[in-house]
Amino acid sequence: GRYGFDSSGATNLEELKTRISKYFLRRKKEDVLKELPPKNRIEIPIELPNMERGQYNLVEQSLVKYFKEYKKEKTDKEIAKTMQGEKLVKLNILREINSMGKIPTVKEMIQNILDAGEKVIVFSCFNAPLVELSEMFEEESVLLLGSTPIEDRQELVRKFQEDSNTKIFFTGIKSGGT
């Protein structure tokens, strides 16, 4: 691919699925909560503000240079394996910069939903934008992250569901998925 990842050689996927099935349970929404409407996905392109765009461009240039160096080092399997993990970390840095640049637009979208009298759940792969947004809407939101103690999580869910003043539920994809 564009960044040098190739997952086409994956093997033993059925064995992996069998081995992890006793540890992971996958449930589909339509099988568990039949009364919920279908997901409504809307793609909205968001141009990064200048500060984030500059930061993104610098990291991207560094990443491209890094990938070019990676191709030269590909002869040693140990080096290649280590660099594969490093590539993922570097790509995540780009994704996080991108998510932070979306905050002003997301804030406006949330405000529009609140103005319409609706509640909203906001998911993110990264904690930083969730924390920043929750501070902007502190009086009317709850925040559930992976670091939230398990004993506090159900209370946050209850508050969002039952408290008419709690309009926004900010959560990470993994922590909110449970």
Side-chain angles (χ1 to χ4, degrees), residues 15-26:
E15 179 184 355
L16 176 63
K17 184 178 175 183
T18 302
R19 285 183 174 211
I20 66 171
S21 66
K22 56 186 163 193
Y23 303 106
F24 291 95
L25 173 64
R26 179 168 187 216

Side-chain angles (χ1 to χ4, degrees), residues 7-18:
S7 62
S8 63
T11 60
N12 301 334
L13 293 177
E14 283 304 313
E15 179 184 355
L16 176 63
K17 184 178 175 183
T18 302

Side-chain angles (χ1 to χ4, degrees), residues 11 30 37-38 43 54 56 58 60 63 78 80 86-88 91 103 108 113 122 127 138 145 152 158-160 169:
T11 60
E30 60 267 13
E43 290 190 28
Y56 186 94
L58 284 172
E60 185 179 43
L63 188 59
E78 284 294 315
E86 290 176 14
K87 285 197 296 187
L88 288 173
L91 283 171
I103 288 175
E108 183 179 328
I113 292 169
V122 179
N127 289 347
E138 193 168 0
L145 302 173
D152 296 344
R158 185 209 59 74
K159 185 175 181 185
F160 175 71
F169 191 90

Side-chain angles (χ1 to χ4, degrees), residues 32-62:
V32 180
L33 297 170
K34 295 175 181 9
E35 69 275 7
L36 289 177
K39 288 181 183 176
N40 183 10
R41 294 183 187 258
I42 302 169
E43 290 190 28
I44 302 171
I46 299 173
E47 188 62 37
L48 289 177
N50 287 339
M51 187 173 88
E52 281 83 3
R53 172 51 62 195
Q55 189 179 13
Y56 186 94
N57 289 343
L58 284 172
V59 173
E60 185 179 43
Q61 289 167 3
S62 168

Side-chain angles (χ1 to χ4, degrees), residues 91-104:
L91 283 171
N92 266 341
I93 292 169
L94 287 175
R95 289 179 58 227
E96 188 164 16
I97 292 168
N98 198 21
S99 71
M100 293 301 289
K102 295 177 182 180
I103 288 175

Side-chain angles (χ1 to χ4, degrees), residues 102-115 133 137:
K102 295 177 182 180
I103 288 175
T105 304
V106 173
K107 179 184 177 195
E108 183 179 328
M109 293 171 67
I110 291 170
Q111 191 59 58
N112 289 340
I113 292 169
L114 296 179
D115 292 345
L133 284 163
F137 294 98

